[in-house]
Amino acid sequence: MTSALHEDRLRAIIAAVVQSGARTLLDLGCGDGDLILRLAPLPRINRITGLDIHMPSLTALQAELHRLTEDSRAKISLAHASMTRAHPKLRGYDCACLVETIEHLPLGDLPRLENALFGDMRPETVLITTPNADFNPILGVPAHRFRHPGHHFEWGRAKFAKWAQGIAARRGYAVSLSDIGGAHPHLGGASQMAQFRRD
């Protein structure tokens, strides 16, 4: 059972994937495959690679693929690997999605993620969502805590925008930012998304 916020994130990502016109897709940090299971049946999508460093999640996802038709399953491949390392086989995809994954990386790994994703893989479109720390008081999260014990950081909108705009400037992408999961007049949404498009 997924939360309403998680469903909002998935709907936002899927809408952005469809709008991008992508046919081939990377799901980096795919976890149990909620996004993959929703995207694989779309006729326009013809190849999806899910990558995660957590083997139990990939095993759980593999077991869930039976829910899909044979044609949808044939589009999917899974890889046990880190998103912060370059993988030549992951070059040339139309779109990469990172749904609530960057905050699970140590801050020191973010430059490696940038090099691998924007420097080596270089998909046409990159979609990244992450919690919006500005919204944490609405959720009752104390200032000294994160939403999840596995998070290494949580950024407010200004810090996320600065990070995303820096990558866009350095790597030859345009970027736009949007709220997910509500739109408080001062605090934004519970999550936030950066949509990168290669220039």
Side-chain angles (χ1 to χ4, degrees):
M1 193 65 145
T2 60
S3 69
L5 174 56
H6 187 53
E7 290 294 335
D8 284 347
R9 281 193 292 260
L10 292 174
R11 281 193 292 269
I13 285 282
I14 290 167
V17 168
V18 170
Q19 185 179 34
S20 77
R23 301 183 70 84
T24 59
L25 187 105
L26 291 169
D27 187 0
L28 302 179
C30 64
D32 295 345
D34 288 340
L35 181 62
I36 289 174
L37 293 171
R38 287 165 171 80
L39 284 173
L42 300 183
R44 182 176 183 85
I45 303 295
N46 58 34
R47 181 165 53 120
I48 303 174
T49 296
L51 182 145
D52 207 290
I53 201 164
H54 188 241
M55 194 64 199
S57 293
L58 292 175
T59 301
L61 172 53
Q62 187 69 51
E64 286 295 305
L65 295 184
H66 71 88
R67 293 166 40 190
L68 300 174
T69 66
E70 185 176 347
D71 286 347
S72 294
R73 287 196 303 270
K75 301 176 184 181
I76 299 168
S77 58
L78 303 177
H80 180 227
S82 169
M83 70 177 79
T84 63
R85 300 182 67 178
H87 305 282
K89 291 182 179 179
L90 300 184
R91 295 172 187 160
Y93 282 75
D94 296 332
C95 181
C97 300
L98 295 84
V99 182
E100 308 293 296
T101 58
I102 62 168
E103 65 275 5
H104 291 270
L105 297 174
L107 282 167
D109 281 353
L110 292 183
R112 285 186 279 278
L113 173 65
E114 178 183 337
N115 287 334
L117 177 55
F118 294 93
D120 188 75
M121 300 178 209
R122 289 193 63 77
E124 292 286 336
T125 301
V126 178
L127 306 171
I128 299 177
T129 75
T130 192
N132 170 20
D134 297 337
F135 199 85
N136 281 356
I138 303 295
L139 300 175
V141 179
H144 63 283
R145 298 271 302 276
F146 293 143
R147 294 185 197 176
H148 186 280
H151 290 180
H152 290 271
F153 63 90
E154 290 176 3
W155 285 338
R157 290 169 298 164
K159 193 157 189 178
F160 183 52
K162 182 178 180 181
W163 178 76
Q165 290 161 358
I167 288 175
R170 288 189 294 272
R171 301 295 182 171
Y173 282 76
V175 66
S176 61
L177 297 124
S178 56
D179 294 320
I180 299 173
H184 187 280
H186 307 298
L187 303 177
S191 281
Q192 51 192 332
M193 178 164 64
Q195 300 185 55
F196 297 86
R197 186 77 177 176
R198 198 170 74 203
D199 286 343

